Amino acid sequence: MRWRATAVLCAALVSLAGCAVHEQPDDGRLRVVAGFYPLQFVAEEIGGDRVAVENLTRAGAEPHDLELQPSQLAALEDADLVLYLRGFQPAVDEGADLQQKARTFDVSTVASLHGADPHVWLDPTRLATIAGRVADRLAEADPAHAGEFRQRAAGLDAELRELDGEYRRGLADCARHDVVTSHEAFGYLTARYGLTQVPVTGLNPDEEPGPQRVRDVARLAKERGVTTIFFESLVSPKLSETVAREIGARAAVLDPIEGVEDGETYITTMRTNLAALRAALGCG
């Protein structure tokens, strides 16, 4: 296979070519490769000290734009389990397709996606479903510790259900229900909690909206008393700030949790998002 050959050649010539060499953990742990952060979070929460998890997307990088390096291709080939979401990261899709099916898990097969929108992890109940299946796959790969994996999965499921309850209660009584975002990334979240997403751009975060679309969103936002235009942590705030200035609103972050800052987790970032939504929507 072309990528296998590239990785092997890179390893052989590391001293001459400066390529990074992937080192396998030699401590009995399962080797898990995750395409991006939410899948890393699930694997680490369920696997505990029985897994070594490598995230292919570095902190602060857009996961959609990932191009795999030779060391990452080697990691895919060495992995006991590869977790990815088909259609979200084309380079990871290609890399996974080169591996044995028994060692790969496309989480879109259990996530009931809405059309082309991949951001399923922003609904914690859907992430709980994914987590349950990840536990099954880890148990298949390491039957001796299956009980540990399923026990941790049950704990994570309870935590995600609690988070879902916090969202349902926190967004149950709000003055407004329109969530204006720079990028169409929050459809699962808004649908789960009875809100309406109003995106300035589509699913592609690099898409540039036409002037008419910007005017239409600004007019709708003003008519409905929107006080906050949201932008994402990994995307320039300029578009949201432009719309906000036009209608006398403010711009604020709503995080799609494709990556996290140091010290943050999926759970803490979701709670930060909840606080931002409650402030923007005037929730009691």
Side-chain angles (χ1 to χ4, degrees):
M1 290 179 285
R2 178 173 56 87
W3 283 5
R4 179 187 292 272
T6 301
V8 171
L9 180 61
C10 181
L13 299 181
V14 62
S15 61
L16 298 177
C19 298
V21 174
H22 172 71
E23 296 184 0
Q24 302 181 34
D26 189 21
D27 52 12
R29 292 181 295 170
L30 290 177
R31 296 158 296 178
V32 179
V33 173
F36 62 109
Y37 171 72
L39 302 183
Q40 173 194 355
F41 167 77
V42 166
E44 290 178 338
E45 289 293 304
I46 295 172
D49 60 6
R50 298 306 311 163
V51 301
V53 183
E54 178 173 340
N55 184 353
L56 295 176
T57 305
R58 63 178 177 80
E62 270 286 350
H64 318 75
D65 302 330
L66 178 67
E67 294 293 338
L68 296 180
Q69 301 301 309
S71 62
Q72 294 173 310
L73 297 174
L76 288 173
E77 296 199 1
D78 292 338
D80 296 297
L81 182 62
V82 177
L83 302 176
Y84 71 110
L85 195 161
R86 183 167 294 279
F88 184 57
Q89 297 173 288
V92 179
D93 293 351
E94 293 179 19
D97 286 343
L98 296 177
Q99 314 310 318
Q100 296 175 3
K101 294 295 184 183
R103 296 192 299 106
T104 65
F105 178 33
D106 169 16
V107 302
S108 73
T109 60
V110 298
S112 301
L113 299 186
H114 293 162
D117 185 357
H119 302 87
V120 65
W121 59 91
L122 292 175
D123 177 344
T125 65
R126 292 173 181 266
L127 188 62
T129 298
I130 291 171
R133 294 297 295 273
V134 170
D136 292 340
R137 295 299 299 268
L138 291 176
E140 291 172 9
D142 184 2
H145 297 93
E148 295 179 35
F149 298 142
R150 294 199 166 103
Q151 183 176 16
R152 291 193 188 98
L156 178 58
D157 183 84
E159 193 170 9
L160 291 171
R161 302 292 172 181
E162 179 182 353
L163 178 64
D164 176 57
E166 292 175 21
Y167 263 78
R168 286 188 286 106
R169 294 187 296 272
L171 299 173
D173 183 18
C174 301
R176 294 171 293 277
H177 297 88
D178 296 293
V179 181
V180 181
T181 62
S182 60
H183 168 212
E184 191 179 2
F186 299 93
Y188 293 95
L189 187 151
T190 53
R192 174 68 182 168
Y193 303 110
L195 306 175
T196 300
Q197 178 180 218
V198 182
V200 182
T201 62
L203 289 169
N204 182 352
D206 299 323
E207 178 184 342
E208 289 291 338
Q212 186 60 51
R213 175 60 182 171
V214 175
R215 287 193 293 269
D216 288 346
V217 171
R219 182 175 63 253
L220 182 148
K222 190 169 185 178
E223 289 173 353
R224 299 187 181 179
V226 170
T227 64
T228 306
I229 310 298
F230 287 110
F231 64 93
E232 299 176 24
S233 52
L234 298 179
V235 177
S236 169
K238 290 182 179 179
L239 180 58
S240 294
E241 290 171 347
T242 297
V243 176
R245 280 194 304 269
E246 189 167 334
I247 67 171
R250 69 186 185 96
V253 170
L254 194 63
D255 199 323
I257 320 184
E258 296 172 356
V260 294
E261 300 293 334
D262 288 343
E264 298 297 323
T265 68
Y266 171 86
I267 300 291
T268 62
T269 308
M270 281 290 284
R271 288 183 172 138
T272 299
N273 280 349
L274 176 57
L277 286 167
R278 284 177 50 80
L281 302 176
C283 303

